[in-house]
């Protein structure tokens, strides 16, 4: 079945949600698991870096205002890594400067949480997967 | 109080007659007849008795007037038609830092520099209006540059001074330091901004979970369940719209709305805005007419421009009953458009109008529609959703971009909103 096949493939994709609002991370977690992704939740930047010690993540959904280490600081840390995961920022901030700042730090996209349906975020995550697969393919493809 | 007088003394011992004529009033000469005292070196005369009661009254009024102007907490200055300062009260001296002698007789704009806070352009408009015979209340966001270079926010008004034959012989300008009000306003706006961000987290939770329920993520809903959850979802969407509008307002008010002009594809902008309105247009079977010959090449901040046009279009759709028509016009502004907009700039501008066949704005409320949180009575009664912030946002943005927004409206017939904006808006300063 198509669904089963898709779920199986997405199972290999590790998504990390970094969000301190439990209700919001839970909704995303349910939705992404339903789509077949393997999902881990961290509630601030520090927990995110700890999680990276144990394993690699392909995609990060990142909140900005969080205790201990906020999204901006975390992005700076992540951008120093040899392979930066695809980061989607979802925040309650909506100022132009905030968006410009996270994009400059290497985030792929910026969503204002309250203005974005859950399905839009999930669709972006799915699209990112397809994109990355073709990117990887392009890199691996030997030069003729 | 010193009064210039002409006088003539007639000494005829033992009587002295003094003929006094008040030069200030040009009144009838008055005689004071008195008996000189033998051996007196000086003698005081009661001058008041030398002038008529009318003149005394007139003089007392002048003295009282000057005393009031001197004691008043607001700055007052007057100019003649050649813009020279003829009066500069102590509060004007205190607020501006210039003394009376530094001000009197000088052109007012050599002493007092009024600027628009947002654009830093010289603001003389209100003074010229007054000299043209019209009383004007200064728009918000005027700053005065003081003698020491400080820029302080002021609120002011200017009125013509008419002489007896009703010709304008100068203008009188009243202004006050509004730093405190201004700071309060800023604090209030910052509060709104912080509070709105805090509101967004619970709104996102309601949004996402009701979306999941409606998508059947927790199982199929019964008809009743779907109806109730839809109400929650839609109510929440209204709340999100309100929070977004409040944030826009607070950003505009603290001057934090970025202005990054770039060339705009007007056709694309209008199409995408129309697409946003498609559900309403289809629901109400509205006709959407575009009256556009050639698209003007507009350079503006895309987000600000979108906010302006989006608000005007969504208002037209919201406040027009089923089967109505919305007509938009877009062109390079003609001289006639510029005159209607009361803009004197010679730079090229563009013109945009949105005409609807809607409920109209009640005549008695037309002066209030650009106010914050304004909702027209008929709109409230008709239960049309709205935040009351849209037109306030439109006006603030349009004026910041040195354009003009105005409207015509007849109740039950319809409303037309017009905007005229520079083709190239200035870079943010």
């Amino acid at each position: 079945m198509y669904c089963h096949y898709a779920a199986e493939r997405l199972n290999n994709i590790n998504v990390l949600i970094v969000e301190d609002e439990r209700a919001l991370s839970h909704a995303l977690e349910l939705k992404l698991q339903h789509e077949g992704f393997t999902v881990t939740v961290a509630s601030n930047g520090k927990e995110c870096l700890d999680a990276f010690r144990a394993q690699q993540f392909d995609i990060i959904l990142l909140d900005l205002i969080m205790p201990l280490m906020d999204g901006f600081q975390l992005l700076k840390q992540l951008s120093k890594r040899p392979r930066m995961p695809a980061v989607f920022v979802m925040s309650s901030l909506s100022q132009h400067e905030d968006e410009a700042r996270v994009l400059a730090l290497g985030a792929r996209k910026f969503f204002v949480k309250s203005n974005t349906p859950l399905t839009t975020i999930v669709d972006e995550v799915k699209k990112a997967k397809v994109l990355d697969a073709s990117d990887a393919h392009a890199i691996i493809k030997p030069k003729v | 109080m010193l009064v210039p007088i002409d006088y003539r003394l007639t000494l005829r011992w033992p009587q002295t007659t003094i003929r006094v004529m008040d030069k200030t009033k040009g009144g009838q000469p008055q005689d004071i007849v008195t008996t000189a005292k033998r051996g007196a070196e000086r003698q005081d005369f009661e001058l008041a008795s030398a002038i008529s009661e009318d003149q005394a009254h007139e003089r007392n009024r002048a003295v009282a007037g000057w005393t009031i102007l001197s004691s008043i907490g607001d700055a007052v200055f007057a100019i003649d038609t050649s813009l020279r300062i003829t009066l500069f009260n102590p509060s004007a001296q205190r607020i501006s830092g210039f003394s009376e002698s530094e001000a009197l007789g000088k052109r007012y704009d050599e002493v007092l520099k009024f600027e628009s806070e947002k654009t830093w352009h010289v603001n003389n408009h209100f003074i010229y209006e007054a000299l043209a015979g019209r009383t004007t209340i200064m728009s918000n966001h005027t700053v005065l540059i003081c003698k020491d270079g400080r820029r302080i926010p002021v609120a002011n008004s200017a009125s013509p001074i008419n002489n007896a034959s009703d010709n304008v012989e100068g203008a009188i300008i009243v202004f006050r330091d509004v730093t405190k009000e201004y700071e309060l306003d800023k604090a209030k706006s910052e509060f709104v901004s912080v509070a709105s961000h805090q509101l967004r987290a619970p709104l996102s939770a309601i949004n996402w979970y009701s979306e999941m329920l409606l998508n059947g993520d927790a199982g199929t809903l019964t008809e009743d369940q779907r109806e109730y959850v839809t109400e929650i979802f839609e109510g929440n969407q209204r709340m999100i719209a309100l929070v977004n509008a409040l944030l826009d307002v607070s950003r505009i008010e603290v001057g934090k709305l970025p202005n990054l002009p770039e060339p705009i594809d007007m056709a694309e902008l209008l199409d995408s805005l129309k697409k946003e309105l498609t559900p309403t247009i289809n629901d109400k079977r509205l006709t959407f007419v575009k009256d556009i010959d050639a698209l003007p090449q507009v350079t503006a901040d895309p987000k600000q421009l979108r906010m302006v046009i989006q608000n005007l279009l969504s208002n037209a759709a919201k406040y027009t009953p089923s089967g109505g028509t919305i007509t938009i016009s877009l062109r390079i502004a003609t001289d006639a458009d510029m005159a209607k907009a009361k803009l004197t700039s010679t730079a090229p501008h563009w013109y945009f109008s949105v005409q609807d066949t809607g409920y109209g704005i009640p005549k008695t409320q037309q002066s209030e529609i650009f106010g914050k949180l304004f909702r027209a009575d008929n709109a409230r009664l008709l239960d049309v959703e709205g935040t009351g912030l849209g037109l306030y946002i439109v006006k603030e943005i349009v004026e910041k971009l040195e354009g003009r927004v105005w409207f015509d409206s007849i109740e039950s017939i319809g409303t037309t909103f017009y905007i005229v904006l520079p083709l190239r808006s200035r870079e943010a300063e």
Side-chain angles (χ1 to χ4, degrees):
Chain A
M1 230 161 89
Y2 174 74
C3 275
H4 177 71
Y5 171 70
E8 209 172 29
R9 277 192 49 197
L10 295 174
N11 237 338
N12 312 325
I13 312 298
N14 290 316
V15 180
L16 178 61
I17 300 167
V18 191
E19 161 72 66
D20 62 332
E21 286 278 341
R22 188 73 197 108
L24 299 182
S25 60
H26 187 56
L28 278 166
E29 187 184 6
L30 287 174
K31 202 77 187 168
L32 288 167
Q33 275 172 349
H34 188 78
E35 292 288 339
F37 290 95
T38 304
V39 184
T40 308
V41 176
S43 58
N44 59 59
K46 274 215 153 50
E47 283 187 22
C48 168
L49 291 180
D50 288 345
F52 261 92
R53 266 179 219 120
Q55 65 169 113
Q56 280 297 319
F57 293 94
D58 308 293
I59 294 167
I60 296 184
L61 291 176
L62 178 64
D63 183 23
L64 287 178
I65 307 299
M66 293 178 293
L68 297 173
M69 182 190 278
D70 68 22
F72 295 110
Q73 289 169 297
L74 177 65
L75 263 175
K76 259 181 227 156
Q77 295 292 323
L78 289 176
S79 61
K80 286 181 198 152
R81 300 181 72 88
R83 189 175 147 270
M84 189 172 175
V87 180
F88 295 94
V89 172
M90 29 165 228
S91 174
S92 284
L93 302 177
S94 59
Q95 305 224 28
H96 177 80
E97 307 94 273
D98 301 319
E99 181 174 357
R101 204 169 140 205
V102 299
L103 294 181
L105 285 169
R108 293 240 178 135
K109 261 208 160 123
F110 182 91
F111 298 108
V112 178
K113 269 185 280 192
S114 58
N115 300 353
T116 314
L118 202 45
T119 44
T120 306
I121 296 180
V122 172
D123 286 349
E124 278 301 328
V125 171
K126 286 203 278 191
K127 251 198 292 183
K129 173 55 214 147
V130 175
L131 250 171
D132 282 1
S134 60
D135 276 359
H137 183 67
I139 293 161
I140 294 163
K141 205 167 106 181
K143 276 184 184 170
V144 186
Chain B
M1 175 80 187
L2 293 174
V3 182
I5 52 168
D6 277 334
Y7 63 95
R8 195 168 70 227
L9 275 178
T10 315
L11 296 168
R12 199 168 292 122
W13 183 261
Q15 276 196 333
T16 308
T17 305
I18 308 170
R19 172 156 289 191
V20 178
M21 202 166 90
D22 187 345
K23 274 170 71 175
T24 53
K25 285 290 152 225
Q28 290 299 306
Q30 300 282 317
D31 286 347
I32 303 170
V33 181
T34 185
T35 308
K37 292 190 184 102
R38 192 182 292 273
E41 281 179 5
R42 61 169 279 193
Q43 208 165 328
D44 291 329
F45 300 105
E46 194 64 56
L47 241 191
S49 65
I51 53 175
S52 71
E53 236 171 70
D54 273 0
Q55 285 171 318
H57 183 66
E58 196 54 40
R59 180 164 305 158
N60 286 342
R61 272 182 41 175
V63 172
W66 174 245
T67 312
I68 289 168
L69 283 183
S70 307
S71 336
I72 204 164
D74 287 354
V76 180
F77 71 96
I79 54 170
D80 59 21
T81 47
S82 58
L83 306 179
R84 296 193 187 279
I85 298 175
T86 56
L87 181 151
F88 200 71
N89 85 338
S91 288
Q93 297 162 36
R94 175 175 50 80
I95 293 172
S96 70
F98 292 99
S99 68
E100 190 176 27
S101 59
E102 285 171 314
L104 286 182
K106 294 236 179 66
R107 266 182 67 115
Y108 88 89
D109 49 3
E110 287 169 14
V111 183
L112 299 174
K113 292 189 172 61
F114 292 99
E115 281 183 358
S116 161
E117 185 222 351
K118 288 176 178 170
T119 60
W120 289 47
H121 297 155
V122 174
N123 184 353
N124 287 327
H125 175 73
F126 62 110
I127 293 196
Y128 290 106
E129 282 288 301
L131 289 176
R134 289 181 287 272
T135 296
T136 47
I137 293 172
M138 217 28 253
S139 56
N140 290 336
H141 314 295
T142 297
V143 293
L144 170 73
I145 301 171
C146 301
K147 189 179 177 182
D148 60 9
R150 274 182 313 128
R151 299 163 56 87
I152 54 165
V154 292
N156 53 12
S157 69
S159 303
I161 301 172
N162 294 319
N163 62 16
S165 45
D166 234 16
N167 293 321
V168 177
E169 60 178 29
I172 184 146
I173 297 96
V174 181
F175 66 90
R176 66 198 165 82
D177 179 352
V178 291
T179 308
K180 276 222 174 72
E181 287 97 316
Y182 196 77
E183 280 168 357
L184 208 66
D185 225 39
K186 223 166 180 159
K188 183 201 71 192
S189 280
E190 270 159 20
F191 168 77
V192 170
S193 162
V194 170
S196 304
H197 284 135
Q198 296 300 323
L199 283 171
R200 273 183 167 164
L203 291 174
S204 305
I206 300 170
N207 201 20
W208 288 358
Y209 282 95
S210 51
E211 182 192 332
M212 284 163 76
L213 285 172
L214 290 171
N215 281 342
D217 289 5
T220 313
L221 301 185
T222 66
E223 208 169 299
D224 280 351
Q225 285 169 341
R226 174 163 293 278
E227 186 195 327
Y228 303 163
V229 177
T230 304
E231 289 291 343
I232 296 172
F233 181 78
E234 286 176 355
N236 191 55
Q237 289 297 322
R238 285 211 294 280
M239 188 87 104
I240 290 169
L242 180 61
V243 167
N244 288 343
L246 281 172
L247 270 169
D248 287 338
V249 166
S250 83
R251 254 172 239 160
I252 289 169
E253 289 182 348
V254 293
K256 264 192 171 173
L257 199 65
N259 182 19
L260 305 162
E262 58 179 70
I264 305 286
D265 183 340
M266 290 301 283
E268 193 184 287
L269 174 66
L270 290 173
D271 282 346
S272 98
L273 288 173
K274 193 195 156 193
K275 211 168 141 197
E276 270 179 27
L277 291 173
T278 306
T280 319
I281 291 174
N282 291 345
D283 267 7
K284 292 173 139 186
R285 302 183 318 280
L286 300 175
T287 310
F288 195 86
V289 182
K290 275 197 252 180
D291 173 18
I292 302 167
D293 283 340
L295 285 168
Q297 184 49 62
V298 174
T299 302
D301 181 273
K303 284 189 178 162
Q304 292 192 18
L305 187 60
R306 194 183 177 87
M307 267 197 247
V308 169
I309 296 184
Q310 193 256 338
N311 272 303
L312 294 180
L313 287 179
S314 75
N315 275 356
K318 245 189 265 180
Y319 300 112
T320 301
S322 294
T325 303
I326 297 170
T327 310
I328 58 168
S329 304
L330 176 65
R331 59 173 179 252
I332 299 275
T334 61
D335 288 350
D337 296 335
M338 293 297 284
K340 269 211 249 165
K342 298 193 180 100
L343 287 171
T344 49
S345 162
T346 50
H349 283 60
W350 57 285
Y351 165 101
F352 177 76
S353 68
V354 186
Q355 184 182 40
D356 65 45
T357 56
Y359 308 121
I361 303 150
K363 192 125 205 132
T364 49
Q365 292 189 300
Q366 291 193 353
S367 59
E368 302 165 54
I369 72 159
F370 290 111
K372 225 187 293 183
L373 296 172
F374 170 81
R375 304 277 339 265
D377 289 342
N378 53 350
R380 279 180 210 269
L381 284 175
L382 288 160
D383 206 21
V384 182
E385 283 160 20
T387 59
L389 293 169
L391 287 177
Y392 174 78
I393 291 172
V394 168
K395 189 175 167 78
E396 286 289 311
I397 293 179
V398 168
E399 290 191 346
K400 209 177 77 168
L401 297 176
E402 298 175 1
R404 207 68 105 215
V405 53
W406 74 101
F407 67 96
D408 293 327
S409 184
I410 300 173
E411 215 173 338
S412 305
I413 291 190
T415 305
T416 310
F417 274 92
Y418 308 88
I419 53 174
V420 169
L421 279 164
L423 273 182
R424 300 189 64 85
S425 68
R426 285 172 200 265
E427 296 281 334
E429 278 145 297

